[in-house]
Amino acid sequence: MKSKKLLTLILMGIMAVLFNSSCARKIIYEETFGTYRFLYSAPNETKELPSLIGMIAKSYVPTSNHPMNIAKVFDTSYEKIWNSILKVVKILEGKVIVKDESSGIIVFAYPEKIKWKYLEKHYLDKDSYQRRGWFFYLYPYKEKYVIKPKGIHKIFASGVMIDSIKFPVYLNIYMKREEINKTKVYVTYFIPFLDVPYDRYIDINFFEMLEKMLKEI
Amino acid sequence: MYKKIIAISMIFIFLCGFFACRSRMPEVAVSELDKLFANDFRDLRIPEVVKIKKMGEKKNFPYVNFNKVWESIILVLMQQGIIVKASKEERIITAITVPPLTVFIEENNNIVTVYLYWMEELCRRIDKPQEILIKLTPEIKEQMTENFFGQLATQVYASQKWKYLER
């Protein structure tokens, strides 16, 4: 009889922990990623997650919303670059928001149901460079065209595939003929940071895809 | 007896969990902007130029041409939000930032004038139109306007001030 009681208590304990974990995960999602689309903050700051989440993992997440600034000069024609970008958008099944060739602007959204690769990255403290925690890192994944993640932090582990994400990611692309040498084309892109579940953690190597397309066209 | 205890405890845990989760669910208000996100900004209405010029803020940029200012606006805005409208012919750019904004560019006598209009109306709640989700006091708006024009001026004149930055 005693062993039964003990078993019941253990079972209840396990269930309570499991319940707490699932509840905490939900709160992690809400607390970490927020429910509003935008959340701007000072650069290079970190935010300690609330104590409830600390039960599962003591974590610090970067709150910086500074966008990426990546630019590259391509030694090829403007039209070829433009067509290649359109092909990249097509392969990624992106939804075009703005497309103006004369202005050199393409803005597109990644679809909601694209496959995403999940990575766990360790986050380094800005002052001491000590490891302070981890955060999720997601990036779009296509079997043929693997978009490798980029970033200043070292990636320690790669993990499972995630099938569905609620919100699309937006990508602003701008291209222009180089001012000094008109035969070259200057391309830059930014992922604006919207406060959606992956915003601050998303990164793609757009240029890698673009270079592949240029070789194919 | 054993089964009863487990059943009761499971019901108790389930109920606790259900109410705990419910109490933590935040109320998410839906704005006009959310609606636009849902349909890829197809229904976005750009304010008329007359309205932008009348109600917006403006700043003059001398010693530069239209192309330089146009490109600089794109580079500044594409870092801050989603560019949802860009027409060089109409000289208008709209970006979804906080709050969304529309910029109109005018060139007269070698002076380029940039008009900035904050589209606060897109932040109204659909169910309660009188309630704005992102409220801007005049001071905040002034500060944001100053920041935007400051960033734009840096971008516009950077290549002249620091010539090595010119590509």
Side-chain angles (χ1 to χ4, degrees), chain B residues 97-115:
Chain B
T97 56
V98 190
L101 60 88
T102 292
V103 170
F104 173 71
I105 308 141
E106 199 174 49
E107 191 176 17
N108 277 323
N109 303 323
N110 295 326
I111 293 176
V112 181
T113 307
V114 176
Y115 294 89

Side-chain angles (χ1 to χ4, degrees), chain A residues 109-153:
Chain A
Y110 282 122
E112 293 168 17
K113 287 178 182 174
I114 198 166
K115 290 262 185 188
W116 295 84
K117 191 101 173 169
Y118 159 83
L119 289 172
E120 191 179 298
K121 284 173 73 179
H122 289 261
Y123 183 65
L124 302 175
D125 180 64
K126 60 163 182 164
D127 297 321
S128 64
Y129 293 98
Q130 296 293 310
R131 201 176 73 192
R132 290 189 70 176
W134 51 266
F135 60 92
F136 297 117
Y137 189 84
L138 303 169
Y139 64 98
Y141 178 87
K142 280 264 168 186
E143 282 177 17
K144 193 179 173 190
Y145 301 96
V146 179
I147 311 165
K148 287 180 185 167
K150 292 168 82 268
I152 53 167
H153 306 296

